[in-house]
């Protein structure tokens, strides 16, 4: 059984930083593309960032690149999302996802497994 468990969300102020973690189990982690998505109230789920199997390739939504960083540890089977200079519009539930497609890295249908999400709330 594959499980992805996010942690690290919380309430922060604009300009603060936060690190989200995703712990994977029951997964051939080194073969999986790992991604982060988010969904804000009243909005569709959107792509945030993704990491290739080795972590050598990283991919970001245009609005996140430069502020967010994705990293992974294939030994510990962890993937991180470093959120910097947070803005109120970053408020959302952030989801960790894993898949084996990796063609575009950006589409939700490329990911087979999803965590339950962790809430990030950024106040002004």
């Amino acid at each position: 059984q594959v499980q992805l468990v996010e942690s690290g969300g919380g309430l922060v102020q604009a300009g603060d930083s936060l690190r989200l973690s995703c712990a994977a189990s029951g997964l051939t982690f080194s073969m999986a593309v790992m991604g982060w998505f988010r969904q804000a109230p009243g909005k569709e789920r959107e792509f945030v960032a993704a990491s290739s199997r080795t972590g050598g390739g990283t991919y970001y939504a245009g609005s996140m690149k430069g502020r967010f960083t994705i990293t992974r540890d294939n030994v510990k089977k962890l993937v991180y999302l470093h959120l910097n200079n947070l803005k109120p519009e970053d408020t959302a539930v952030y989801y960790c996802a894993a898949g084996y497609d990796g063609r575009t890295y950006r589409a939700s249908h490329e990911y087979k497994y999803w965590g339950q999400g962790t809430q990030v709330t950024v106040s002004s």
Side-chain angles (χ1 to χ4, degrees):
Q1 181 178 348
V2 173
Q3 291 190 22
L4 303 176
V5 181
E6 303 96 334
S7 62
L11 175 62
V12 298
Q13 297 184 30
D16 286 352
S17 298
L18 204 60
R19 186 183 72 172
L20 308 183
S21 299
C22 174
S25 63
L27 179 72
T28 308
F29 190 81
S30 62
M31 290 186 176
V33 173
M34 301 299 298
W36 287 94
F37 292 75
R38 72 184 186 185
Q39 187 166 24
K43 298 182 65 177
E44 297 179 359
R45 183 163 58 185
E46 65 176 339
F47 170 75
V48 175
S51 175
S52 66
R53 296 171 181 83
T54 65
T58 56
Y59 308 86
Y60 300 92
S63 61
M64 289 80 168
K65 188 170 181 63
R67 293 195 300 122
F68 296 175
T69 303
I70 185 170
T71 59
R72 68 189 292 164
D73 185 333
N74 280 4
V75 175
K76 298 180 179 179
K77 301 177 71 173
L78 293 170
V79 61
Y80 305 98
L81 183 67
H82 306 262
L83 311 174
N84 301 307
N85 191 25
L86 283 162
K87 306 176 184 299
E89 52 263 40
D90 294 320
T91 295
V93 177
Y94 284 71
Y95 297 92
C96 176
Y100 297 102
D101 190 319
R103 180 156 56 177
T104 73
Y105 295 96
R106 303 171 184 271
S108 61
H109 64 76
E110 296 178 22
Y111 297 86
K112 296 182 179 180
Y113 309 104
W114 295 81
Q116 295 301 303
T118 185
Q119 177 72 47
V120 173
T121 302
V122 185
S123 63
S124 59

